[in-house]
Amino acid sequence: MQVPFESVVEQHSATVLRVCRALLGAHDADDAWSETFLAALRAYPQLPDGANVEAWLVTIARRKAIDVHRGAARRAVPLPQLPQAPSALGVPGEGDDELWQLVAQLPDKQRRTIAFRYLGGLSYAQIAAVLGGSEDAARRANADGLKALRRKHPAMDSVTDSTTDQTTQEDQR
């Protein structure tokens, strides 16, 4: 018969906190300590009788400390300056707000197809793999989206026709 979990916490909380502080420092130790006991509470009913509870809790604490270290490594670090120079091509959509608003109004599949095709440089086969469906359906959604954009945006006729001809030739290769 297992002892109540409250007794386990009372008996081993100082040990777990020392382990967390040793592995993480005082700043993150309290969070790791509480995460350790939350995980232990969930798993406690399955703990076999006679198991070394302290060793089990220390193992959980060590794993929670590893999680904290991994999480810290994934967090973005603010820098005073950008590590790269701005692109010479500029920011996509900057300076042509009307066109991007029209693109945003397209139905979802048309909008995503146009974005993948013209911003991502994907082929229709790749677009079909990403969105699901056939290559022909991706090609149709792209054509329908371009047609809608041509109707609403006067500058799309000249720009899009050359792009469409070029991409059609690429797709046929």
Side-chain angles (χ1 to χ4, degrees):
M1 174 140 184
Q2 290 183 330
V3 296
F5 191 73
E6 296 84 22
S7 299
V8 170
V9 173
E10 288 176 16
Q11 186 176 358
H12 301 290
S13 69
T15 302
V16 171
L17 186 58
R18 281 194 300 269
V19 168
C20 291
R21 284 189 176 165
L23 296 174
L24 297 170
H27 186 261
D28 292 326
D30 291 341
D31 290 341
W33 178 88
S34 64
E35 290 293 323
T36 298
F37 280 104
L38 283 174
L41 178 61
R42 286 186 215 111
Y44 189 64
Q46 287 81 36
L47 187 68
D49 289 336
N52 184 341
V53 176
E54 187 173 54
W56 176 66
L57 288 170
V58 169
T59 301
I60 294 172
R62 184 181 64 85
R63 291 180 182 153
K64 293 301 175 185
I66 290 170
D67 290 347
V68 169
H69 283 295
R70 286 180 181 157
R74 281 186 244 131
R75 274 186 233 123
V77 177
L79 298 174
Q81 293 180 339
L82 293 175
Q84 302 171 347
S87 169
L89 301 175
V91 178
E94 188 172 276
D96 202 356
D97 294 338
E98 182 185 353
L99 176 61
W100 290 108
Q101 287 175 358
L102 293 174
V103 170
Q105 293 171 2
L106 290 173
D108 184 54
K109 188 169 185 175
Q110 292 175 10
R111 184 179 63 251
R112 289 192 295 166
T113 303
I114 287 174
F116 291 148
R117 181 75 181 161
Y118 297 102
L119 298 177
L122 300 181
S123 69
Y124 288 115
Q126 291 169 322
I127 293 170
V130 170
L131 295 179
S134 68
E135 187 176 334
D136 289 337
R139 191 180 307 273
R140 181 79 257 163
N142 185 65
D144 291 345
L146 290 177
K147 185 177 177 182
L149 289 175
R150 280 189 203 118
R151 276 191 312 242
K152 297 177 181 175
H153 196 280
M156 281 295 294
D157 258 345
S158 61
V159 173
T160 307
D161 285 340
S162 64
T163 306
T164 304
D165 291 342
Q166 183 182 24
T167 56
T168 303
Q169 291 170 358
E170 290 173 4
D171 287 337
Q172 292 172 352
R173 290 182 204 161

PDB file of all heavy atoms in Angstrom, residues 79-97:
ATOM      1  N   LEU A  79      18.870  40.830 -29.769  1.00  0.00           N
ATOM      2  CA  LEU A  79      20.182  41.385 -30.112  1.00  0.00           C
ATOM      3  C   LEU A  79      20.049  42.876 -30.359  1.00  0.00           C
ATOM      4  O   LEU A  79      19.018  43.335 -30.846  1.00  0.00           O
ATOM      5  CB  LEU A  79      20.719  40.709 -31.381  1.00  0.00           C
ATOM      6  CG  LEU A  79      20.963  39.201 -31.300  1.00  0.00           C
ATOM      7  CD1 LEU A  79      21.351  38.664 -32.668  1.00  0.00           C
ATOM      8  CD2 LEU A  79      22.041  38.908 -30.289  1.00  0.00           C
ATOM      9  N   PRO A  80      21.089  43.624 -30.066  1.00  0.00           N
ATOM     10  CA  PRO A  80      21.011  45.070 -30.313  1.00  0.00           C
ATOM     11  C   PRO A  80      20.969  45.400 -31.804  1.00  0.00           C
ATOM     12  O   PRO A  80      20.396  46.406 -32.205  1.00  0.00           O
ATOM     13  CB  PRO A  80      22.272  45.613 -29.655  1.00  0.00           C
ATOM     14  CG  PRO A  80      23.176  44.445 -29.506  1.00  0.00           C
ATOM     15  CD  PRO A  80      22.333  43.229 -29.437  1.00  0.00           C
ATOM     16  N   GLN A  81      21.595  44.547 -32.624  1.00  0.00           N
ATOM     17  CA  GLN A  81      21.599  44.779 -34.068  1.00  0.00           C
ATOM     18  C   GLN A  81      21.232  43.485 -34.775  1.00  0.00           C
ATOM     19  O   GLN A  81      21.507  42.390 -34.267  1.00  0.00           O
ATOM     20  CB  GLN A  81      22.971  45.206 -34.547  1.00  0.00           C
ATOM     21  CG  GLN A  81      23.410  46.545 -34.047  1.00  0.00           C
ATOM     22  CD  GLN A  81      24.790  46.890 -34.584  1.00  0.00           C
ATOM     23  OE1 GLN A  81      25.555  46.029 -34.988  1.00  0.00           O
ATOM     24  NE2 GLN A  81      25.090  48.174 -34.594  1.00  0.00           N
ATOM     25  N   LEU A  82      20.687  43.615 -35.951  1.00  0.00           N
ATOM     26  CA  LEU A  82      20.391  42.435 -36.747  1.00  0.00           C
ATOM     27  C   LEU A  82      21.696  41.812 -37.230  1.00  0.00           C
ATOM     28  O   LEU A  82      22.609  42.535 -37.623  1.00  0.00           O
ATOM     29  CB  LEU A  82      19.525  42.805 -37.955  1.00  0.00           C
ATOM     30  CG  LEU A  82      18.115  43.275 -37.647  1.00  0.00           C
ATOM     31  CD1 LEU A  82      17.418  43.714 -38.924  1.00  0.00           C
ATOM     32  CD2 LEU A  82      17.329  42.157 -36.995  1.00  0.00           C
ATOM     33  N   PRO A  83      21.797  40.478 -37.209  1.00  0.00           N
ATOM     34  CA  PRO A  83      23.058  39.863 -37.638  1.00  0.00           C
ATOM     35  C   PRO A  83      23.258  39.908 -39.146  1.00  0.00           C
ATOM     36  O   PRO A  83      24.352  39.713 -39.627  1.00  0.00           O
ATOM     37  CB  PRO A  83      22.918  38.417 -37.157  1.00  0.00           C
ATOM     38  CG  PRO A  83      21.460  38.200 -37.046  1.00  0.00           C
ATOM     39  CD  PRO A  83      20.860  39.524 -36.698  1.00  0.00           C
ATOM     40  N   GLN A  84      22.213  40.169 -39.904  1.00  0.00           N
ATOM     41  CA  GLN A  84      22.329  40.196 -41.358  1.00  0.00           C
ATOM     42  C   GLN A  84      21.919  41.572 -41.876  1.00  0.00           C
ATOM     43  O   GLN A  84      21.101  42.256 -41.284  1.00  0.00           O
ATOM     44  CB  GLN A  84      21.413  39.161 -41.995  1.00  0.00           C
ATOM     45  CG  GLN A  84      21.694  37.763 -41.530  1.00  0.00           C
ATOM     46  CD  GLN A  84      20.623  36.804 -42.020  1.00  0.00           C
ATOM     47  OE1 GLN A  84      19.576  37.218 -42.486  1.00  0.00           O
ATOM     48  NE2 GLN A  84      20.919  35.522 -41.923  1.00  0.00           N
ATOM     49  N   ALA A  85      22.454  41.902 -43.008  1.00  0.00           N
ATOM     50  CA  ALA A  85      22.055  43.137 -43.662  1.00  0.00           C
ATOM     51  C   ALA A  85      20.683  42.937 -44.297  1.00  0.00           C
ATOM     52  O   ALA A  85      20.316  41.826 -44.660  1.00  0.00           O
ATOM     53  CB  ALA A  85      23.081  43.504 -44.725  1.00  0.00           C
ATOM     54  N   PRO A  86      19.902  43.988 -44.437  1.00  0.00           N
ATOM     55  CA  PRO A  86      18.604  43.859 -45.086  1.00  0.00           C
ATOM     56  C   PRO A  86      18.771  43.372 -46.525  1.00  0.00           C
ATOM     57  O   PRO A  86      19.763  43.648 -47.182  1.00  0.00           O
ATOM     58  CB  PRO A  86      18.031  45.271 -45.047  1.00  0.00           C
ATOM     59  CG  PRO A  86      18.891  46.036 -44.125  1.00  0.00           C
ATOM     60  CD  PRO A  86      20.169  45.327 -43.974  1.00  0.00           C
ATOM     61  N   SER A  87      17.788  42.666 -47.002  1.00  0.00           N
ATOM     62  CA  SER A  87      17.825  42.133 -48.363  1.00  0.00           C
ATOM     63  C   SER A  87      17.799  43.262 -49.387  1.00  0.00           C
ATOM     64  O   SER A  87      17.115  44.273 -49.207  1.00  0.00           O
ATOM     65  CB  SER A  87      16.622  41.220 -48.580  1.00  0.00           C
ATOM     66  OG  SER A  87      16.506  40.899 -49.935  1.00  0.00           O
ATOM     67  N   ALA A  88      18.547  43.079 -50.451  1.00  0.00           N
ATOM     68  CA  ALA A  88      18.529  44.065 -51.532  1.00  0.00           C
ATOM     69  C   ALA A  88      17.228  44.011 -52.310  1.00  0.00           C
ATOM     70  O   ALA A  88      16.879  44.934 -53.034  1.00  0.00           O
ATOM     71  CB  ALA A  88      19.709  43.815 -52.464  1.00  0.00           C
ATOM     72  N   LEU A  89      16.501  42.912 -52.145  1.00  0.00           N
ATOM     73  CA  LEU A  89      15.224  42.753 -52.858  1.00  0.00           C
ATOM     74  C   LEU A  89      14.078  43.452 -52.135  1.00  0.00           C
ATOM     75  O   LEU A  89      12.986  43.555 -52.670  1.00  0.00           O
ATOM     76  CB  LEU A  89      14.892  41.265 -53.002  1.00  0.00           C
ATOM     77  CG  LEU A  89      15.935  40.441 -53.761  1.00  0.00           C
ATOM     78  CD1 LEU A  89      15.569  38.970 -53.730  1.00  0.00           C
ATOM     79  CD2 LEU A  89      16.039  40.936 -55.197  1.00  0.00           C
ATOM     80  N   GLY A  90      14.314  43.910 -50.908  1.00  0.00           N
ATOM     81  CA  GLY A  90      13.277  44.594 -50.174  1.00  0.00           C
ATOM     82  C   GLY A  90      12.383  43.613 -49.432  1.00  0.00           C
ATOM     83  O   GLY A  90      12.651  42.417 -49.374  1.00  0.00           O
ATOM     84  N   VAL A  91      11.326  44.120 -48.875  1.00  0.00           N
ATOM     85  CA  VAL A  91      10.373  43.318 -48.117  1.00  0.00           C
ATOM     86  C   VAL A  91       9.196  43.000 -49.036  1.00  0.00           C
ATOM     87  O   VAL A  91       8.609  43.912 -49.631  1.00  0.00           O
ATOM     88  CB  VAL A  91       9.890  44.101 -46.874  1.00  0.00           C
ATOM     89  CG1 VAL A  91       8.861  43.296 -46.112  1.00  0.00           C
ATOM     90  CG2 VAL A  91      11.071  44.458 -46.002  1.00  0.00           C
ATOM     91  N   PRO A  92       8.835  41.716 -49.171  1.00  0.00           N
ATOM     92  CA  PRO A  92       7.699  41.387 -50.031  1.00  0.00           C
ATOM     93  C   PRO A  92       6.435  42.105 -49.574  1.00  0.00           C
ATOM     94  O   PRO A  92       6.106  42.102 -48.396  1.00  0.00           O
ATOM     95  CB  PRO A  92       7.543  39.872 -49.858  1.00  0.00           C
ATOM     96  CG  PRO A  92       8.849  39.407 -49.346  1.00  0.00           C
ATOM     97  CD  PRO A  92       9.437  40.553 -48.590  1.00  0.00           C
ATOM     98  N   GLY A  93       5.780  42.719 -50.511  1.00  0.00           N
ATOM     99  CA  GLY A  93       4.526  43.397 -50.207  1.00  0.00           C
ATOM    100  C   GLY A  93       4.696  44.845 -49.831  1.00  0.00           C
ATOM    101  O   GLY A  93       3.733  45.591 -49.781  1.00  0.00           O
ATOM    102  N   GLU A  94       5.892  45.265 -49.546  1.00  0.00           N
ATOM    103  CA  GLU A  94       6.099  46.644 -49.147  1.00  0.00           C
ATOM    104  C   GLU A  94       5.941  47.550 -50.360  1.00  0.00           C
ATOM    105  O   GLU A  94       6.533  47.323 -51.415  1.00  0.00           O
ATOM    106  CB  GLU A  94       7.493  46.812 -48.550  1.00  0.00           C
ATOM    107  CG  GLU A  94       7.717  48.170 -47.950  1.00  0.00           C
ATOM    108  CD  GLU A  94       9.034  48.218 -47.208  1.00  0.00           C
ATOM    109  OE1 GLU A  94       9.042  47.797 -46.046  1.00  0.00           O
ATOM    110  OE2 GLU A  94      10.009  48.687 -47.801  1.00  0.00           O
ATOM    111  N   GLY A  95       5.155  48.558 -50.242  1.00  0.00           N
ATOM    112  CA  GLY A  95       4.976  49.508 -51.319  1.00  0.00           C
ATOM    113  C   GLY A  95       3.848  49.159 -52.267  1.00  0.00           C
ATOM    114  O   GLY A  95       3.535  49.935 -53.153  1.00  0.00           O
ATOM    115  N   ASP A  96       3.244  47.986 -52.141  1.00  0.00           N
ATOM    116  CA  ASP A  96       2.126  47.616 -52.996  1.00  0.00           C
ATOM    117  C   ASP A  96       1.008  47.052 -52.127  1.00  0.00           C
ATOM    118  O   ASP A  96       0.560  45.922 -52.299  1.00  0.00           O
ATOM    119  CB  ASP A  96       2.563  46.596 -54.046  1.00  0.00           C
ATOM    120  CG  ASP A  96       1.636  46.599 -55.246  1.00  0.00           C
ATOM    121  OD1 ASP A  96       0.627  47.330 -55.206  1.00  0.00           O
ATOM    122  OD2 ASP A  96       1.924  45.879 -56.206  1.00  0.00           O
ATOM    123  N   ASP A  97       0.581  47.893 -51.200  1.00  0.00           N
ATOM    124  CA  ASP A  97      -0.415  47.448 -50.226  1.00  0.00           C
ATOM    125  C   ASP A  97      -1.718  47.011 -50.874  1.00  0.00           C
ATOM    126  O   ASP A  97      -2.348  46.055 -50.421  1.00  0.00           O
ATOM    127  CB  ASP A  97      -0.690  48.563 -49.213  1.00  0.00           C
ATOM    128  CG  ASP A  97       0.529  48.862 -48.355  1.00  0.00           C
ATOM    129  OD1 ASP A  97       1.398  47.972 -48.248  1.00  0.00           O
ATOM    130  OD2 ASP A  97       0.611  49.967 -47.812  1.00  0.00           O
TER     131      ASP A  97
END
